[in-house]
Amino acid sequence: MKLYNSFSRTKEDFESSINFSARSDKTIKIYVCGPTVYDYIHIGNTRPMCVFDVLRRYLKYLGYNVKYVQNFTDVDDKIINRAHKENTGFFDISEKFIKEYKIDAAGLNVMPADVHPKASETIQEMIDMINILIKNKHAYATESGDVYFDTLSFENYGKLSNQTLSDLQTGARIDPNEAKKNATDFALWKASKPDEPFWDSPWGLGRPGWHIECSAMSRKFLGDTIDIHCGGQDLMFPHHENEIAQSEGCTGVKFSYFWLHNGYININDTKMSKSLNNFFTAREISEKYGYEAIRYFMISGHYKSPLNYTERAMQQSISSIQRLYNFKENLNFAINNKISESGVNLLENINKYKQDFLTAMNDDLNTSDALAVIFSMIKEANIKLSDFDVKFSVKNLEKIANCFNEFTSILGILYKNENNIKNQEEIDILLKDRDLARINKKWEKSDEIRDKLYKLGVAVKDTPNGTNVFKF
RNA sequence: GGCGUCGUAGCCAAGCGGUAAGGCAGAGGUCUGCAAAACCUUUAUUCACCGGUUCGAUUCCGGUCGACGCCUCCA
């Protein structure tokens, strides 16, 4: 498998770059920068959730043991501001939105991380790291009780974002209130202000800076060196740059072999922002189009490319998913209705599709191509499947179904649970009545029953081999 | 100003040196009691534009135009 590494700005062979064959610890360690939990997650937040979930699923499919950590940033200005605004506690806000996050994540079929650390529960580890950084002369404390990272002390500073310190300094802004040595220095620890959460530290009461949170949480649960660090492209600078400086300045070893950055979700080709009034939460979009349409939309293009959110794009996703579901239903119908072990094979070359799918995924998770492979398989199968006179080998049909399910579960699509239909008896009676009406050519009545069934969440398709009934 | 991404059919989107995948939408048709699903036909002599390299470029190089992102604790 090859992955594009933002650090080297090239596609690299995964196993070679992490030195997989030579190391004793075979667990793949992944850290994903998680949301700041001050509000419902927005549509942009769902991108990294979905695409790195695909990465995780695919690595597991390939047989790797994966440890996946995604944090919750629950110590942050935005949370504090919201708490003040609503006149409630900081942790009431963060706990509420962690719960809401989990609802959205489940809706999007994003597997829970192996560990979901919270910044507020990793304070001691942050203090430990800051202490080491000060000892290593990479950080300094000011009289006011703040601690800053000394960017000039870290020679590789700027390497990830491909910028030199002098470039950065011209663009950097200095807050006159800050006692920084250099414009590019950033806070590791901030002295507490009134009405803010605080913790005790060697530098007095205060709270951690944003960047150190991720360094500490990553280190605590994954160790000094991890394999893949993921996040949105906007985090590359300064957040990820600072993480590298902190972590490597502290441990002296490589922080992460790979850096993966997902592209943005734009609204009308423009970044979404509250001021432009083009801000959408995942929740409200899911209510309109369903979570699965969001999930599909997220993987319809390459994870690094920007995606433009439009109503039309969502409708297209819904239609595409429907085609996949239809195939699944039709395949199941064939399996259940063409019981003949000795029939002909529906597809001879299942392995070819499998191979093409893997090739696509191995190429830096080309989910777009992977979907195209699935649709090609569907096309070939549908052509033969529409001939109701042919008896197909059930074994072959099942093999195709397994392969199809394998593909869709790697991509994390087609997970919609069948409706738990409570009134099964009523439905059975309606189906029988409809059959009877059709035998007697009472079309009006049979159509009426079909509508009724549809409203109950049951679709019927008449075929020469009987009626294909499925719940939606 | 520095760093970076992108411009492929009505829409979405792969391909990135050998002559344009896939999905959605549209039109016509087949099948069906009607539907639904599915299938068939149809939709880019062309990949923003201009040069260059090459036997050959959407794909590489240079330039132009256009859109966008980061450098403001925003995924």
Side-chain angles (χ1 to χ4, degrees):
Chain A
M1 181 176 56
K2 288 193 168 169
L3 288 176
Y4 181 86
N5 191 349
S6 300
F7 194 82
S8 63
R9 287 177 288 283
T10 53
K11 268 185 209 172
E12 295 177 14
D13 179 71
F14 179 62
E15 285 205 359
S16 324
S17 289
I18 64 170
N19 202 15
F20 189 73
S21 55
R23 68 195 215 182
S24 54
D25 179 3
K26 299 289 187 191
T27 298
I28 306 299
K29 302 183 195 77
I30 302 179
Y31 184 89
V32 182
C33 285
T36 301
V37 279
Y38 70 106
D39 202 343
Y40 291 94
I41 58 168
H42 58 249
I43 184 68
N45 288 307
T46 65
R47 185 96 188 261
M49 288 164 68
C50 293
V51 300
F52 299 127
D53 182 64
V54 171
L55 169 67
R56 179 187 187 188
R57 286 164 182 265
Y58 188 56
L59 287 170
K60 280 176 174 260
Y61 170 81
L62 293 177
Y64 294 105
N65 185 24
V66 179
K67 185 165 181 188
Y68 193 90
V69 176
Q70 188 201 51
N71 72 292
F72 288 119
T73 298
D74 65 345
V75 179
D76 184 90
D77 289 341
K78 290 193 292 289
I79 298 168
I80 295 167
N81 292 341
R82 177 133 189 180
H84 286 160
K85 205 170 130 194
E86 298 192 0
N87 202 20
T88 179
F90 317 113
F91 292 107
D92 296 328
I93 295 290
S94 57
E95 286 306 312
K96 170 177 164 55
F97 289 112
I98 285 172
K99 277 196 191 107
E100 299 295 354
Y101 167 91
K102 286 181 176 171
I103 292 170
D104 288 326
L108 290 164
N109 200 26
V110 171
M111 297 161 70
D114 295 305
V115 189
H116 272 298
K118 295 174 195 167
S120 64
E121 294 169 358
T122 322
I123 302 290
Q124 188 53 51
E125 288 79 0
M126 296 179 204
I127 292 173
D128 293 344
M129 280 186 91
I130 296 170
N131 263 328
I132 297 171
L133 285 169
I134 291 174
K135 205 192 300 164
N136 291 352
K137 305 262 192 276
H138 283 304
Y140 55 92
T142 66
E143 281 181 15
S144 52
D146 299 313
V147 182
Y148 290 98
F149 188 93
D150 182 355
T151 47
L152 293 188
S153 75
F154 189 73
E155 66 168 334
N156 283 334
Y157 194 78
K159 220 172 168 191
L160 175 67
S161 54
N162 194 27
Q163 299 178 98
T164 63
L165 264 168
S166 57
D167 288 342
L168 290 166
Q169 277 172 330
T170 22
R173 183 187 67 149
I174 309 178
D175 187 330
N177 298 322
E178 293 181 300
K180 298 200 281 197
K181 282 204 242 171
N182 316 294
T184 46
D185 291 355
F186 55 91
L188 296 170
W189 188 263
K190 302 174 180 184
S192 75
K193 295 178 195 146
D195 298 323
E196 286 187 358
F198 58 84
W199 289 263
D200 197 11
S201 80
W203 318 284
L205 301 180
R207 62 186 173 97
W210 175 40
H211 311 295
I212 193 71
E213 297 183 359
C214 281
S215 282
M217 287 187 270
S218 176
R219 185 173 182 229
K220 179 174 181 182
F221 293 101
L222 295 171
D224 290 351
T225 299
I226 66 173
D227 297 300
I228 311 175
H229 193 118
C230 307
Q233 49 152 235
D234 58 312
L235 294 180
M236 191 187 281
F237 189 88
H239 186 54
H240 291 161
E241 197 74 70
N242 292 351
E243 280 187 58
I244 293 174
Q246 292 162 344
S247 295
E248 299 192 356
C250 171
T251 66
V253 298
K254 190 164 191 68
F255 178 40
S256 179
Y257 291 113
F258 274 93
W259 288 87
L260 264 54
H261 291 102
N262 64 274
Y264 254 70
I265 302 297
N266 292 324
I267 314 287
N268 296 323
D269 288 318
T270 307
K271 187 173 159 173
M272 129 174 98
S273 73
K274 285 185 174 169
S275 56
L276 288 171
N277 204 23
N278 62 356
F279 194 90
F280 298 102
T281 64
R283 192 65 58 87
E284 63 186 320
I285 291 176
S286 78
E287 281 159 8
K288 224 168 158 184
Y289 306 105
Y291 279 113
E292 199 170 17
I294 301 177
R295 174 97 190 189
Y296 186 92
F297 178 58
M298 292 302 154
I299 62 164
S300 62
H302 188 85
Y303 73 89
K304 282 203 305 289
S305 310
L307 267 180
N308 202 31
Y309 170 82
T310 59
E311 184 158 329
R312 195 168 178 185
M314 296 311 286
Q315 294 294 357
Q316 290 181 0
S317 295
I318 290 173
S319 301
S320 301
I321 292 169
Q322 195 53 53
R323 182 168 167 85
L324 297 172
Y325 271 116
N326 289 338
F327 175 69
K328 195 175 179 176
E329 294 298 344
N330 292 150
L331 197 60
N332 281 339
F333 182 70
I335 289 170
N336 294 330
N337 290 275
K338 297 190 175 179
I339 313 293
S340 81
E341 290 296 339
S342 54
V344 301
N345 284 344
L346 176 60
L347 293 182
E348 294 293 350
N349 51 355
I350 301 172
N351 283 336
K352 180 190 168 289
Y353 290 111
K354 207 170 240 180
Q355 201 46 56
D356 288 350
F357 184 87
L358 296 181
T359 301
M361 293 300 285
N362 282 339
D363 183 18
D364 194 27
L365 305 175
N366 191 334
T367 49
S368 211
D369 263 353
L371 284 168
V373 173
I374 297 178
F375 282 112
S376 305
M377 183 171 101
I378 289 179
K379 182 76 167 185
E380 192 192 340
N382 275 340
I383 290 171
K384 296 190 193 165
L385 213 48
S386 57
D387 187 346
F388 284 97
D389 294 331
V390 179
K391 294 281 180 204
F392 294 105
S393 151
V394 171
K395 243 185 198 159
N396 186 253
L397 291 174
E398 282 171 347
K399 211 171 152 191
I400 295 164
N402 284 340
C403 179
F404 181 78
N405 290 338
E406 217 167 77
F407 291 165
T408 54
S409 72
I410 288 169
L411 298 175
I413 51 175
L414 267 65
Y415 56 89
K416 201 160 55 181
N417 290 328
E418 277 196 357
N419 268 342
N420 287 326
I421 306 247
K422 293 163 199 151
N423 39 1
Q424 188 61 47
E425 274 178 36
E426 184 191 351
I427 285 160
D428 288 341
I429 292 167
L430 285 170
L431 286 170
K432 265 184 198 153
D433 288 351
R434 181 165 178 276
D435 284 343
L436 200 66
R438 292 187 70 235
I439 287 164
N440 295 322
K441 298 194 193 298
K442 290 183 176 168
W443 309 124
E444 244 176 66
K445 184 168 186 192
S446 72
D447 290 353
E448 192 183 298
I449 297 172
R450 183 168 59 198
D451 290 345
K452 212 176 209 174
L453 283 164
Y454 195 82
K455 279 175 192 155
L456 292 170
V458 177
V460 289
K461 298 175 189 176
D462 301 313
T463 80
N465 286 336
T467 301
N468 183 1
V469 179
F470 65 92
K471 299 155 185 176
F472 63 90

